[in-house]
Amino acid sequence: MIAVYRKEIRSYLTSMIGYVFVAFMLAVIGIYFSFTNLNLSSPRFETVLQNVQFLFIIFVPILTMRVLAEERKQKTDQLLLTLPLAVSDIVLGKYLALVTLYAAPMAVVCAYPLILSRFGTVNMAVAYLSILGFFLLGCANMAIGLFFSSLTDNPVIAAVMSFGFLLICFLMDSISGMVPNTAIASLVSFTVLALLLAAVIYNMIRNVKMTVAAAAVVVAVLAIVYAVRAPLLEGAFPRFLSVFYMNGQLTGFFDGILDITGIVYYVSIAAVALFLSIQTVVKRRWN
């Protein structure tokens, strides 16, 4: 893992990708910091981070699209897979390199509350907890981008998929509010979702019987729940969609709370995305 990590860090430092990413992120945050905190004399640094959450939709697809997809496109993934390393070491090494690159501008951002404190009173606890939450959100998003990069050998397609998914998650609060709260709406929505997941499972395992059986079980359970206790499904699908509203977990951090639930949430998202990335690479290794 260390060898892969060093290779990735070296590639970021010897190309323009790492420098452009750091410069772009610092430039956007710096503009908002100058306007919100300095020009408007606001002591709330967390407001800056609240306003720049859209950055992840832009830079995560661009930064992660080539991590695994380019290796597959250039056939260098075969070289990596022949190394005396586990697939998990390869994926984790690449992911940790991304996190390290992301940590560089965040380390600079940590100085902003100190600069602001020279001009007035700043709630340091809120400021740095907001930075912590913002950093964890970025780590979770990069794990998702890495997963989409593992699905294809075309970096552009990987970027488009990452952008689409992160955009939907960013707008999920509004999307979930558009879904009716009725039991029948949840039943139909969960059924459609189960069929879509069945299609994904079939694409992964190519086993028709197992796929149909799994979909049938889920649909049957939903039908039974609707027939016996329909009120349980009222508002269930909007609540399910709200789980994917990753930005909503920042609320506690922005309020100055060390939100353990939020930390576990972001770590879990990253862990699931990395696990899926590893399984995708393992599957391709033996095909």
Side-chain angles (χ1 to χ4, degrees), residues 31 55 159 262 282:
I31 291 172
L55 279 174
V282 169

Side-chain angles (χ1 to χ4, degrees), residues 9 12-13 15-31 55 59-60 62-63 97-109 112 142:
I9 289 293
Y12 291 135
L13 296 179
S15 66
M16 291 298 296
I17 296 177
Y19 298 102
V20 170
F21 162 71
V22 173
F24 175 76
M25 192 168 179
L26 288 178
V28 174
I29 295 178
I31 291 172
L55 279 174
F59 80 73
V60 167
I62 296 174
L63 188 62
L98 287 170
V99 172
T100 301
L101 182 64
Y102 173 51
M106 293 306 299
V108 177
V109 169
Y112 289 1
M142 282 189 289

Side-chain angles (χ1 to χ4, degrees), residues 159-182:
V160 171
M161 290 192 296
S162 298
F163 175 81
F165 184 84
L166 294 178
L167 179 62
I168 291 173
C169 289
F170 184 75
L171 300 175
M172 188 57 73
D173 189 41
S174 300
I175 295 174
S176 61
M178 297 169 61
V179 179
N181 289 322
T182 60

Side-chain angles (χ1 to χ4, degrees), residues 148-227:
F148 283 111
S149 181
S150 70
L151 295 177
T152 178
D153 60 356
N154 191 320
V156 175
I157 294 178
V160 171
M161 290 192 296
S162 298
F163 175 81
F165 184 84
L166 294 178
L167 179 62
I168 291 173
C169 289
F170 184 75
L171 300 175
M172 188 57 73
D173 189 41
S174 300
I175 295 174
S176 61
M178 297 169 61
V179 179
N181 289 322
T182 60
I184 186 63
S186 294
L187 174 64
V188 173
S189 299
F190 277 122
T191 301
V192 172
L193 181 61
L195 295 177
L196 291 176
L197 289 177
V200 173
I201 293 173
Y202 172 75
N203 184 61
M204 296 178 64
I205 64 176
R206 299 295 180 179
N207 189 316
V208 177
K209 292 183 178 179
M210 185 176 296
T211 303
V212 172
V217 169
V218 173
V219 172
V221 170
L222 289 171
I224 293 173
V225 172
Y226 180 75

Side-chain angles (χ1 to χ4, degrees), residues 9-274:
I9 289 293
R10 192 180 302 113
S11 68
Y12 291 135
L13 296 179
T14 56
S15 66
M16 291 298 296
I17 296 177
Y19 298 102
V20 170
F21 162 71
V22 173
F24 175 76
M25 192 168 179
L26 288 178
V28 174
I29 295 178
I31 291 172
Y32 275 86
F33 173 71
S34 299
F35 178 77
T36 304
N37 295 131
L38 300 182
N39 288 352
L40 298 182
S41 301
S42 172
R44 294 175 58 86
F45 178 72
E46 61 273 17
T47 305
V48 175
L49 300 181
Q50 287 175 334
N51 291 329
V52 299
Q53 294 177 49
F54 67 88
L55 279 174
F56 297 116
I57 304 175
I58 300 173
F59 80 73
V60 167
I62 296 174
L63 188 62
T64 61
M65 66 179 185
R66 301 179 61 182
V67 175
L68 290 172
E70 189 70 17
E71 297 275 9
R72 186 175 174 184
K73 181 179 180 181
Q74 300 294 335
K75 306 301 182 183
T76 54
D77 61 330
Q78 300 302 319
L79 178 61
L80 280 175
L81 294 176
T82 57
L83 294 175
L85 294 172
V87 173
S88 58
D89 291 333
I90 297 173
V91 174
L92 289 177
K94 288 178 173 292
Y95 175 69
L96 291 178
L98 287 170
V99 172
T100 301
L101 182 64
Y102 173 51
M106 293 306 299
V108 177
V109 169
C110 287
Y112 289 1
L114 298 176
I115 296 173
L116 193 60
S117 66
R118 299 293 298 273
F119 303 97
T121 302
V122 179
N123 191 325
M124 292 296 182
V126 175
Y128 284 106
L129 283 173
S130 299
I131 293 174
L132 172 62
F134 193 80
F135 176 75
L136 292 174
L137 174 61
C139 292
N141 283 330
M142 282 189 289
I144 292 172
L146 183 65
F147 166 65
F148 283 111
S149 181
S150 70
L151 295 177
T152 178
D153 60 356
N154 191 320
V156 175
I157 294 178
V160 171
M161 290 192 296
S162 298
F163 175 81
F165 184 84
L166 294 178
L167 179 62
I168 291 173
C169 289
F170 184 75
L171 300 175
M172 188 57 73
D173 189 41
S174 300
I175 295 174
S176 61
M178 297 169 61
V179 179
N181 289 322
T182 60
I184 186 63
S186 294
L187 174 64
V188 173
S189 299
F190 277 122
T191 301
V192 172
L193 181 61
L195 295 177
L196 291 176
L197 289 177
V200 173
I201 293 173
Y202 172 75
N203 184 61
M204 296 178 64
I205 64 176
R206 299 295 180 179
N207 189 316
V208 177
K209 292 183 178 179
M210 185 176 296
T211 303
V212 172
V217 169
V218 173
V219 172
V221 170
L222 289 171
I224 293 173
V225 172
Y226 180 75
V228 178
R229 295 288 299 274
L232 290 177
L233 291 175
E234 292 181 358
F237 195 69
R239 290 194 299 271
F240 170 76
L241 291 179
S242 65
V243 173
F244 296 92
Y245 182 48
M246 292 188 290
N247 299 75
Q249 296 294 326
L250 288 178
T251 302
F253 294 98
F254 289 150
D255 290 337
I257 301 171
L258 183 58
D259 191 354
I260 302 300
T261 301
I263 295 175
V264 173
Y265 174 84
Y266 289 130
V267 172
S268 300
I269 291 292
V272 170
L274 290 174

